[in-house]
């Protein structure tokens, strides 16, 4: 895992801690306890995401399945060849399939890699390259880190959804009181406002506070996301390099050129490039072609 990868994971963790601890502190919980709750809940989600159970749940969520006997017959010898080339020691990741007509692969965790059924139609060398690429993600620790980020994203979503419900509730209360006051007419004397006016002020203050916190959290989320996606793109270059280093450079280039043809059919905006986990296939081909093998400093295009 690169320094950038670790930075991304730390930033996501810190953001989730803040997202939990700050509202608790505002509600009156002691700052130390609020931070402790944020740390405990965030680490629980992160550790669960990186656990074997989290990996199995991710398999199900992505629709992975075991290869059928005829598919296993084609995949297994190729996979064993890649493992031998990589000099893999210890237990190898289990092999799965995804039903899709797009050429692609995924490393779900340290114990799971998968390719799409479309990959079974590729020449053996290109299938080797895809498996080697995903094996590179496992070797570098990218798969486990990415899964932790995904589970922390689920925690982020849960907290933000709760914040949305609170904001909507108090916004509704303040709106109802405002409409009722407008229909009935404003009280002529301040004394007539009484408790309802104070209640409206409190509801509106909570609504406005939640809104401001939500805007600040959204801005921070985008800044953290930029680092996360940047780290993911660099991971792709490293996984490509791993495949090339164990002898599948030309095959990897061939696969990427097929993916490049798929990408040309898509209309992508600048946001798609900025918030993408993968560099364009054209950039990845250039990185492979400009990097000396088997030794030498890797050439990484600008990861944005």
């Amino acid at each position: 895992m690169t320094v950038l990868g670790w930075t991304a994971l730390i930033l996501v963790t810190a953001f989730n801690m803040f997202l939990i601890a700050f509202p608790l502190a505002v509600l009156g919980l002691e700052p130390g306890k609020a931070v402790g709750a944020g740390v405990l809940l965030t680490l629980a989600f992160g550790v669960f995401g990186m656990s074997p159970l989290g990996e199995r749940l991710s398999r199900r969520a992505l629709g992975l399945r075991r290869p059928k006997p005829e598919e296993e017959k084609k995949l297994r010898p190729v996979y064993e060849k890649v493992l031998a080339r990589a000099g893999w020691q210890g237990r190898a990741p289990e092999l799965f399939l995804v039903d899709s007509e797009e050429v692609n692969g995924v490393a779900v965790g340290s114990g799971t890699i998968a390719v799409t059924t479309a990959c079974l139609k590729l020449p053996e060398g290109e299938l080797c390259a895809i498996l080697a690429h995903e094996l590179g993600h496992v070797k570098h620790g990218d798969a486990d880190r990415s899964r932790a980020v995904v589970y922390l994203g689920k925690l982020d979503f849960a907290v933000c959804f709760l914040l949305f419900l609170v904001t909507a509730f108090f916004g509704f209360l303040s709106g109802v009181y405002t409409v009722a006051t407008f229909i009935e007419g404003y009280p002529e004397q301040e004394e007539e406002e009484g408790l309802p006016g104070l209640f409206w002020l409190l509801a509106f203050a909570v609504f406005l506070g939640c809104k401001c916190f939500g805007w600040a959290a959204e801005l921070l989320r985008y800044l953290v996301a930029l680092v996360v996606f940047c780290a993911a793109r660099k991971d792709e270059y490293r996984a490509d390099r791993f495949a090339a280093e164990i002898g599948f450079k030309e095959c990897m280039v061939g696969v990427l050129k097929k993916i490049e043809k798929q990408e040309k059919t898509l209309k992508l905006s600048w946001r798609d490039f900025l918030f993408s986990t993968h560099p364009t296939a054209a950039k990845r081909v250039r990185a492979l072609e400009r990097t000396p093998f088997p030794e030498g400093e890797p050439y990484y295009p600008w990861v944005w």
Side-chain angles (χ1 to χ4, degrees), residues 27-293:
L27 289 174
L29 192 64
E30 293 179 15
K33 292 182 179 179
V35 172
V39 170
L40 186 63
L41 196 55
T42 301
L43 291 182
F45 266 76
V47 170
F48 178 78
M50 298 180 75
S51 69
L53 178 58
E55 186 170 340
R56 286 197 291 271
L57 290 176
S58 296
R59 288 177 188 172
R60 180 172 296 183
L62 292 171
L64 306 191
R65 64 172 178 83
R66 301 277 182 180
K68 297 174 183 176
E70 61 273 17
E71 296 167 334
E72 179 77 17
K73 188 176 179 181
K74 178 177 177 61
L75 276 173
R76 184 54 55 181
V78 177
Y79 188 40
E80 294 295 337
K81 179 180 178 181
V82 173
L83 290 171
R85 284 277 190 97
W88 197 267
Q89 295 181 350
R91 185 178 179 182
E94 294 184 66
L95 194 56
F96 288 80
L97 279 174
V98 183
D99 292 311
S100 174
E101 291 304 313
E102 291 186 359
V103 173
N104 208 343
V106 61
V108 178
S110 57
T112 307
I113 63 173
V115 295
T116 60
T117 48
C119 295
L120 298 178
K121 303 173 185 176
L122 296 175
E124 182 178 308
E126 293 184 358
L127 180 56
C128 283
I130 294 176
L131 290 169
H133 173 94
E134 301 307 331
L135 206 59
H137 281 307
V138 174
K139 182 177 180 179
H140 298 144
D142 306 333
D144 286 329
R145 189 205 70 226
S146 298
R147 201 170 69 252
V149 169
V150 168
Y151 274 85
L152 289 173
K154 295 179 187 297
L155 175 60
D156 176 4
F157 174 80
V159 173
C160 288
F161 183 69
L162 182 60
L163 179 66
F164 166 77
L165 292 179
V166 173
T167 304
F169 176 72
F170 282 99
F172 173 76
L173 290 182
S174 60
V176 167
Y177 181 78
T178 301
V179 172
T181 303
F182 178 77
I183 293 174
E184 295 178 2
Y186 287 94
E188 296 181 358
Q189 299 181 0
E190 187 177 341
E191 293 79 9
E192 295 179 17
E193 294 185 13
L195 189 60
L198 182 62
F199 176 77
W200 174 86
L201 187 62
L202 178 63
F204 183 74
V206 173
F207 167 75
L208 188 60
C210 289
K211 267 294 185 185
C212 291
F213 178 73
W215 289 331
E218 191 67 18
L219 176 61
L220 285 174
R221 184 180 294 107
Y222 272 105
L223 294 176
V224 171
L226 287 175
V227 180
V228 170
F229 286 115
C230 184
R233 289 192 290 273
K234 190 161 187 178
D235 290 343
E236 293 303 318
Y237 287 125
R238 290 204 315 152
D240 288 344
R241 179 177 170 82
F242 176 81
E245 284 175 340
I246 62 175
F248 300 110
K249 175 181 176 179
E250 296 305 322
C251 296
M252 193 72 236
V253 169
V255 171
L256 290 172
K257 287 184 176 179
K258 285 184 171 66
I259 295 175
E260 187 178 0
K261 290 180 181 178
Q262 295 176 358
E263 290 178 346
K264 287 180 179 178
T265 63
L266 305 174
K267 294 182 179 179
L268 303 175
S269 67
W270 64 270
R271 284 174 59 90
D272 296 316
F273 290 105
L274 201 58
F275 295 99
S276 172
T277 57
H278 288 62
T280 61
K283 282 186 177 182
R284 293 167 67 182
V285 169
R286 285 200 300 272
L288 286 173
E289 290 177 341
R290 293 181 62 175
T291 298
F293 291 99

Side-chain angles (χ1 to χ4, degrees), residues 14-23 155-156 159-160 213 217 221:
F15 172 71
N16 277 271
M17 289 177 182
F18 164 76
L19 206 59
I20 296 167
F22 185 79
L155 175 60
D156 176 4
V159 173
C160 288
F213 178 73
R221 184 180 294 107

